């Protein structure tokens, strides 16, 4: 079991408010990890620290053989120029709660943007690969639509295809179904299940306890910026030891 | 208290159920006599004004005669050229300084603020006169290895007009671009970053195309405004349309006739631009970002919904 992601002592504050209080986390290749926790517990911030959308105030994240945003030189972390940070970030696929599809590009245009601009693929090659991915998420028929013409579930499936187009080592999902109408949640979770079955390494911040129980290899529960419980879903969800985790789970499972 | 709440609401005349008409009862619309009266008054006023100009001391044949005179048409050509060049310069400066206003570097931010402060804070006519007389400050334009000329030869009336109007417009557009960039959803930038796009790529490929769409109505207004403001160049001996008209009426004395000729041309120009703006907005509005981008800012400027679906 080789590690894909190792977070070490991640701290993050916004002003005087300490959101993350020194988090450690290991994720192995092929593993699906779900991060659960009440609103405001810092789950999303932690995920955003992993791919440096937020720069941690303390600690660091090691991904696939390199420290995000830094270079180890004579015992200290030297900040990387932005271009090299972006190259590192492109190895982590990110799916946002609010999709963040490029509004001025078609579905196909969204998926080929990264491969063409960042990886320098030719248009024909990028489009062929993009169509495969859109096929995989069931959106090939909408390739020439604009995001404003899609439902939330369709947008999120396109967003997943866009992230996969960069052939990331790890996929990060930031509450991917929280902004969806209830009847559209299923189609997105179905795509994510298929990815998990295919061996994609995934870190998923979610409120979908059912999805976590069914798909996750491990879950962690965050309370007020700390990881209070971690383990296989069966143990954590059925027999939490921490009283605050127990009260959180009893509220969401009720 | 219970009795009160169950009581029927009091009305002046009660209509009993037995008197209710059938479902196909005729409906008579409310009449609006006030609209006929106000409409009539306005029509009358228009007729009075129209008659006043018809019988006033204007030689309409002279207006018709000079409408297509060579000097006037050439002047209008200059008007269009100055407007186009000044608008292009304004847009370039607007984007450059608008991006600088949002820079991480405080010195760049300050420089952009200074530019806006100076050029938006002084009258454009004054700026035109200063550009026209810039040779009094810098007699020679000397850039080692590139240019070494007398300033009066470089800053012709045309150059002064384009610089004056363009630099002034750029200061307004700087604020517009800043607002436009700010109203593109932050998630667009984040998505671009997670794909590995550099700040430059993100700006060029993701942010600016969406900004352009948001500020298009403002740019349309700028183009219309510029066409009219170019008449200020008449004061610095630039031979655009108003200046040409002035030179003619100094000779033949047909002052109001030639000013009317100009009015006709300006109206024609702004009408064409308005129509162009409408179609441009409609074209770009079609696939515009209704879902993700902040629309409130855009709506403040747009006078009408771009497409029926958005209405």
């Amino acid at each position: 079991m080789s590690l894909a992601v190792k977070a070490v002592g991640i701290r993050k504050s916004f002003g005087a408010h300490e959101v993350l209080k020194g988090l450690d986390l290991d994720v192995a290749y092929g593993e699906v990890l779900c991060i659960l926790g009440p609103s405001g517990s810092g789950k999303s911030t932690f995920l955003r620290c992993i791919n440096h959308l937020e720069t941690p105030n303390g600690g660091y994240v090691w991904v696939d053989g390199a420290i995000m945003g830094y270079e180890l030189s004579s015992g200290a972390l030297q900040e990387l120029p932005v271009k090299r940070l972006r190259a590192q970030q492109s190895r982590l696929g990110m799916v946002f709660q609010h999709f963040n599809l490029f509004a001025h590009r078609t579905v196909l245009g969204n998926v080929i943007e990264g491969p063409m601009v960042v990886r320098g693929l030719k248009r024909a090659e990028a489009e062929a690969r993009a169509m495969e991915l859109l096929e995989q998420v069931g959106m090939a028929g909408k390739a020439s639509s604009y995001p404003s013409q899609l439902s939330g579930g369709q947008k999120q499936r396109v967003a997943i295809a866009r992230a996969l187009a960069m052939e990331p080592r790890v996929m990060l999902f930031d509450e991917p179904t929280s902004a969806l109408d209830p009847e559209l949640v299923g189609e997105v979770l179905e795509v994510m299940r298929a990815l998990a079955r295919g061996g994609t390494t995934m870190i998923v911040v979610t409120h979908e306890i059912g999805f976590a129980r069914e798909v996750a290899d491990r879950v962690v529960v965050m309370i007020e910026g700390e990881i209070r419980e971690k383990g296989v879903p069966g143990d954590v969800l059925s027999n939490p030891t921490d009283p605050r985790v127990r009260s959180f789970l009893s509220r969401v499972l009720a | 208290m219970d009795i009160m709440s169950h009581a029927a609401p009091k009305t002046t005349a009660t209509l009993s159920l037995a008197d209710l008409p059938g479902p196909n009862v005729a409906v008579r619309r409310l009449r609006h006599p006030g609209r006929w009266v106000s409409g009539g008054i306005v029509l009358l006023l228009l007729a009075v004004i129209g008659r006043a100009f018809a019988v006033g001391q204007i030689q309409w044949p002279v207006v018709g005669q000079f409408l297509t005179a060579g000097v006037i048409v050439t002047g209008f050509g200059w008007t269009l050229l100055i407007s186009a060049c000044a608008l292009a310069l304004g847009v370039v400066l607007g984007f450059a300084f608008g991006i600088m206003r949002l820079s991480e570097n405080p010195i760049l931010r300050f420089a952009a603020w200074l530019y806006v402060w100076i050029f938006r804070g002084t009258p454009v006519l004054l700026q035109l006169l200063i550009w026209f007389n810039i040779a009094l400050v810098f007699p020679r334009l000397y850039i080692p290895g590139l240019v070494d000329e007398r300033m009066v030869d470089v800053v012709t009336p045309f150059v002064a007009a384009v610089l004056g109007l363009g630099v002034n417009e750029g200061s307004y557009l700087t604020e517009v671009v800043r607002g436009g960039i700010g109203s593109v959803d932050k998630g667009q930038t984040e998505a671009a970053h997670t794909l590995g796009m550099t700040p430059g790529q993100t700006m060029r490929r993701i942010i600016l195309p969406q900004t352009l769409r948001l500020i298009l109505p403002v740019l349309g207004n700028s183009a219309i405004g510029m066409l009219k403001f170019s008449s200020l160049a008449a004061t610095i001996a630039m031979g655009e349309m108003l200046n040409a008209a002035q030179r003619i009426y100094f000779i033949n004395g047909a002052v109001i006739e030639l000013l009317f000729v100009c009015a006709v041309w300006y109206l024609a120009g702004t009408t064409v631009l308005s129509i162009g703006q409408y179609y441009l907005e409609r074209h770009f509005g079609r696939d515009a970002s209704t879902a993700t981008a902040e629309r409130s800012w855009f709506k403040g400027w747009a006078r009408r919904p771009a497409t029926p679906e958005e209405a």
Side-chain angles (χ1 to χ4, degrees), chain A residues 48 51 53-54 82-83 86-87 89-90 92 94 96 98 100-105 110 113-114 117-118 146 148 155 162-163 166, chain B residues 185-199 201-202 205-207 209-210 213 286-293:
Chain A
R48 291 163 61 84
N51 72 350
L53 275 181
E54 307 283 356
V82 74
K83 204 170 175 180
R86 294 284 180 267
Q89 285 175 315
S90 73
L92 293 162
M94 179 81 166
F96 298 89
H98 295 289
N100 296 350
L101 292 180
F102 301 133
H104 61 306
R105 295 264 200 268
N110 266 276
E113 182 74 16
V117 176
V118 179
Y146 282 91
S148 59
K155 283 182 199 172
R162 177 176 68 178
M166 294 302 289
Chain B
D185 187 37
K186 291 281 166 291
Q188 301 279 308
T189 311
E190 292 190 346
H193 286 177
T194 57
L195 291 178
M197 294 168 78
T198 61
Q201 289 168 336
T202 306
R205 300 190 55 93
I206 306 301
I207 306 302
Q210 297 188 54
R213 189 164 298 172
R286 191 158 292 157
D287 43 45
S289 46
T290 41
T292 48

Side-chain angles (χ1 to χ4, degrees), chain B:
Chain B
M1 290 306 285
D2 252 333
I3 295 163
M4 288 293 289
S5 63
H6 286 285
K10 270 189 183 155
T11 50
T12 45
T14 47
L15 181 61
S16 74
L17 286 174
D19 295 334
L20 287 182
N24 297 322
V25 61
V27 176
R28 269 195 297 276
R29 295 282 165 217
L30 186 62
R31 293 194 188 283
H32 297 282
R35 291 183 191 170
W36 288 98
V37 173
S38 57
I41 291 172
V42 169
L43 275 180
L44 192 70
L45 281 174
L46 284 177
V48 168
I49 294 169
R51 195 190 115 82
F53 276 98
V55 304
Q57 298 197 2
I58 301 172
Q59 295 162 281
W60 289 104
V62 177
V63 175
Q65 179 196 332
F66 277 99
L67 200 56
T68 52
V71 194
I72 294 292
V73 175
T74 313
F76 189 57
W78 279 110
T79 291
L80 291 179
L81 187 67
I82 291 172
S83 309
C85 293
L87 186 65
L89 178 64
V91 169
V92 169
L93 291 175
F95 272 98
F97 283 101
I99 293 169
M100 276 169 66
R101 286 282 317 238
L102 296 164
S103 167
E104 301 267 328
N105 186 333
I107 296 169
L108 293 190
R109 280 204 306 274
F110 172 74
W113 173 85
L114 193 68
Y115 166 69
V116 173
W117 182 64
I118 291 173
F119 287 97
R120 205 175 60 170
T122 53
V124 63
L125 181 56
L126 184 78
Q127 289 174 36
L128 276 173
L129 292 170
I130 289 175
W131 282 110
F132 185 55
N133 294 299
I134 199 81
L136 298 175
V137 192
F138 309 107
R140 292 199 82 80
L141 179 62
Y142 176 64
I143 303 169
L146 271 178
V147 193
D148 185 12
E149 301 246 20
R150 292 196 312 152
M151 192 61 95
V152 281
D153 297 334
V154 179
V155 184
T156 59
F158 175 74
V159 172
V162 168
L163 282 173
L165 295 168
V167 172
N168 180 260
E169 190 66 21
S171 67
Y172 283 92
L173 292 179
T174 295
E175 291 299 282
V176 170
V177 168
R178 183 176 72 125
I181 291 176
S183 65
V184 174
D185 187 37
K186 291 281 166 291
Q188 301 279 308
T189 311
E190 292 190 346
H193 286 177
T194 57
L195 291 178
M197 294 168 78
T198 61
Q201 289 168 336
T202 306
M203 187 55 86
R204 271 197 313 282
R205 300 190 55 93
I206 306 301
I207 306 302
L208 287 187
Q210 297 188 54
T211 306
L212 198 59
R213 189 164 298 172
L214 286 163
I215 69 175
L216 209 60
V218 188
L219 289 184
N221 289 342
S222 281
I224 290 167
M226 191 61 86
L227 191 71
K228 297 182 292 176
F229 279 126
S230 66
S231 61
L232 291 174
T235 57
I236 56 168
M238 177 63 223
E240 46 69 70
M241 183 167 59
L242 185 60
N243 187 272
Q246 286 174 331
R247 276 180 289 140
I248 297 171
Y249 70 60
F250 283 146
I251 295 166
N252 70 2
V255 176
I256 205 72
E257 286 80 0
L258 278 147
L259 291 179
F260 268 54
V261 165
C262 291
V264 170
W265 277 108
Y266 279 121
L267 260 180
T270 51
T271 305
V272 169
L273 284 177
S274 301
I275 295 170
Q277 182 188 19
Y278 170 73
Y279 281 103
L280 213 58
E281 277 176 37
R282 208 174 67 162
H283 173 76
F284 278 103
R286 191 158 292 157
D287 43 45
S289 46
T290 41
T292 48
E294 278 284 330
R295 302 273 295 178
S296 52
W297 187 87
F298 168 68
K299 277 180 180 152
W301 292 91
R303 280 156 302 175
R304 53 187 304 170
T307 58
E309 306 93 74
E310 293 180 71

Side-chain angles (χ1 to χ4, degrees), chain A residues 107-116 119 121-137 139-140 143 158 160-168 171 195 200:
Chain A
V107 165
L108 185 63
N110 266 276
V111 182
I112 63 174
E113 182 74 16
M116 282 181 65
R119 299 176 64 206
L121 261 63
K122 293 272 181 296
R123 177 173 286 272
E125 196 183 348
E127 284 186 350
R129 175 87 185 107
M131 286 311 292
E132 280 173 34
L133 288 166
L134 287 173
E135 196 76 56
Q136 194 181 325
V137 299
M139 288 299 295
V158 173
I160 292 172
R162 177 176 68 178
L164 288 172
M166 294 302 289
E167 297 180 3
M171 283 287 285
L195 282 179
T200 308

